[in-house]
Amino acid sequence: MGEVTVNTEWLSDCSGCHVAIVDLHEKILNVLEAVRIQRCPVLTDIKEYPHATVGLVSGAIRNEHDRHAAEQMRKSCDIVIAWGSCAVFGGPAGAGNVHTPDEIAAAVYLENKTTIPAPPPKREVSPLESVVSPLDTVIDVDFYLPGCPPHPVFIFEALTALVAGREPEVNRRSVCAKCKRNMEKTEVTEIRSSFDGIPDPERCFLSQGYTCMGSVTIDRCLAPCPTNGVPCTGCAGATMQILTEPNRDIRTEIADRMSRLTKIDRDEIVRSLERSSKSHYSYTMATSMIGCKPTFQIKRWIEDEQADYEAGGCR
């Protein structure tokens, strides 16, 4: 392959995927020797969309700007990569799909107790679309690189593979594959929140009653959170088994495992995950592979959680 040119674009996201390029550290020199970065919102002041071999698009589709930018990237790039969990699945912004744009605007600008109430801006920014959408609902995508952000190892592999004219090597393993904690049968009888006690650094979080999503999350991170004492929150998105098999679900898969490792009742674990479903499904609920599953009933779960809270039974 001749000179590889790269465009990047930044839709509705936090910029973390672009910052992840810097996390390549000295390897970024190898990348820069092999590619020529053209349009890049954090590096260059190019407003146009020059033709490029590879287009990296981060962020979800949330408004007219995002839709226009995505379409321009598709027209200008031979290969488009959905870069990061927001572009692949909708990301945390997908939690907005359980509310209308008017409800979100009211909560942020009119009813926010920590700011001075003011009407939502209308001229400065495009209005929100009715739902948050992953990138491939608007344009064709050639490769998917989930992660929040993707680990530099996977970014480097994707870029060097494309420079070499081959498809990037990917794995379908879960975060557990890189976690060193030991799964053990325990006598634990209660679900613990992340604020309860100090987890045993050698033992699987599920064995201790902590909700960890490592077993249902695809490894695009090399497990830094469980390695450093923090349960996985699923930011890289669900495993292919969860995404593609209609009868498999995040909450029931976790409940099955935790109930076998502890003495906590499976149904109690399922109910606990449903009450915190905005957190546990936040990275992937905007994709139809999760949001359209018949097992995904988040509005009912939120109503149940609210009823529990009003009755004083919310944990």
Side-chain angles (χ1 to χ4, degrees):
M1 182 177 286
E3 182 185 47
V4 175
T5 50
V6 176
N7 288 351
T8 75
E9 183 55 288
W10 170 0
L11 310 181
S12 288
D13 70 346
C14 68
S15 79
C17 291
H18 275 79
V19 174
I21 292 178
V22 181
D23 289 338
L24 290 170
H25 300 298
E26 67 273 15
K27 285 186 176 180
I28 195 172
L29 299 177
N30 301 76
V31 173
L32 292 176
E33 287 178 357
V35 306
R36 179 161 60 88
I37 297 176
Q38 303 179 133
R39 177 191 171 87
C40 179
V42 298
L43 294 177
T44 64
D45 186 24
I46 296 177
K47 303 296 191 295
E48 296 77 22
Y49 292 86
H51 174 263
T53 316
V54 179
L56 295 166
V57 184
S58 69
I61 306 296
R62 195 60 171 115
N63 56 27
E64 180 183 352
H65 161 269
D66 297 336
R67 189 172 291 271
H68 170 76
E71 292 171 347
Q72 292 302 310
M73 285 292 284
R74 182 67 275 181
K75 290 178 183 177
S76 63
C77 301
D78 297 334
I79 298 170
V80 169
I81 301 177
W83 180 24
S85 293
C86 292
V88 177
F89 302 116
N97 284 358
V98 297
H99 301 283
T100 67
D102 287 342
E103 289 173 339
I104 295 171
V108 172
Y109 292 99
L110 302 177
E111 300 165 3
N112 190 330
K113 296 180 180 178
T114 63
T115 60
I116 299 173
K122 293 184 178 179
R123 291 189 305 173
E124 295 85 355
V125 295
S126 305
L128 297 180
E129 295 191 348
S130 59
V131 295
V132 177
S133 305
L135 184 63
D136 64 1
T137 63
V138 174
I139 63 172
D140 290 335
V141 169
D142 300 296
F143 295 104
Y144 296 85
L145 185 57
C148 187
H151 191 283
V153 165
F154 297 103
I155 296 175
F156 186 72
E157 163 59 18
L159 292 177
T160 53
L162 293 173
V163 169
R166 61 177 174 83
E167 290 193 4
E169 295 181 4
V170 295
N171 68 70
R172 296 191 175 192
R173 67 192 180 212
S174 73
V175 171
C176 290
K178 286 293 181 179
C179 179
K180 305 301 182 186
R181 291 171 176 269
N182 299 314
M183 279 189 172
E184 301 171 359
K185 180 70 176 177
T186 68
E187 301 298 311
V188 171
T189 57
E190 292 185 347
I191 299 171
R192 295 173 175 171
S193 78
S194 57
F195 306 108
D196 291 338
I198 299 176
D200 183 329
E202 305 295 331
R203 182 175 287 174
C204 172
F205 283 111
L206 296 181
S207 297
Q208 302 179 66
Y210 293 101
T211 301
C212 178
M213 297 182 65
S215 62
V216 294
T217 301
I218 194 166
D219 171 33
R220 291 297 179 270
C221 61
L222 305 183
C225 293
T227 300
N228 291 284
V230 179
C232 173
T233 58
C235 70
T239 59
M240 291 303 295
Q241 291 87 348
I242 297 288
L243 292 173
T244 58
E245 297 181 25
N247 61 324
R248 304 186 76 164
D249 185 90
I250 289 174
R251 72 196 201 292
T252 53
E253 293 283 323
I254 293 175
D256 285 344
R257 292 188 179 91
M258 186 187 288
S259 62
R260 289 197 294 269
L261 291 168
T262 66
K263 291 192 173 181
I264 306 172
D265 181 72
R266 178 185 180 279
D267 291 342
E268 180 184 350
I269 301 168
V270 169
R271 286 194 298 273
S272 173
L273 292 168
E274 290 175 352
R275 284 197 295 269
S276 52
S277 51
K278 269 191 177 180
S279 297
H280 293 112
Y281 288 83
S282 61
Y283 291 94
T284 53
M285 70 172 71
T287 176
S288 59
M289 290 188 289
I290 292 291
C292 293
K293 278 193 175 191
T295 55
F296 184 68
Q297 301 291 326
I298 192 167
K299 291 189 176 179
R300 178 174 63 78
W301 300 339
I302 292 173
E303 291 173 356
D304 291 346
E305 190 275 339
Q306 183 64 25
D308 280 352
Y309 178 79
E310 293 175 353
C314 183
R315 178 181 165 83

